[in-house]
Amino acid sequence: MTAAAIVGVLAAAGTYLVLQRGLVRMALGFVLLGHAANVLLVVSGGIHRRGVPIEGETVGRAADPLPQAFTLTAIVIGLGMTALLLALASRAQRDLGDDDLEGES
C-alpha cells in the first residue's frame, strides 16, 4: 500500500510539473515521472524479503533480477533525458532570455 501511494504522489507531482510553462519545471516533472516508473518497476518484482540465491540451499525463493535490470536501464535513460532537457533549457535561457515556452518572443 505504501509503495502504491509513493508511485501515485510521484506521478501526480510529475504530471503537474510537466504541465507548467517553464522548461526547467518540465524537466523536473519528467524526473519525477521517471522516479515513479522506477518505483513501480521495483515493486513489480516484489518488495518482500527473499532468501539468499547462492549460498547452498535457499530458504525462500530467489529474488527476480529482471525488474532490477529494467530499473537500472530506466535510470540510465532518465539521466540522459534529464541532461538533454536541461541543455535545451539552458540554450533557451541564453538565446531567448527566458525558458518560458508560451511567452512571446
Side-chain angles (χ1 to χ4, degrees):
M1 182 68 175
T2 304
I6 291 171
V7 170
V9 168
L10 285 173
T15 303
Y16 175 76
L17 285 174
V18 165
L19 296 175
Q20 297 298 310
R21 291 173 68 164
L23 250 168
V24 174
R25 289 185 193 132
M26 187 180 296
L28 290 176
F30 278 118
V31 168
L32 288 180
L33 285 173
H35 288 315
N38 291 339
V39 170
L40 185 65
L41 283 173
V42 169
V43 170
S44 71
I47 55 176
H48 301 292
R49 196 174 234 344
R50 296 185 182 184
V52 180
I54 296 176
E55 250 180 55
E57 203 164 310
T58 59
V59 177
R61 294 181 353 193
D64 186 16
L66 193 59
Q68 296 171 8
F70 284 152
T71 303
L72 286 174
T73 304
I75 289 170
V76 171
I77 291 170
L79 181 65
M81 184 179 66
T82 302
L84 176 68
L85 286 173
L86 290 178
L88 287 174
S90 173
R91 180 70 185 242
Q93 174 70 29
R94 187 180 62 188
D95 289 349
L96 303 174
D98 193 9
D99 70 340
D100 187 7
L101 296 177
E102 296 180 12
E104 295 181 24
S105 38

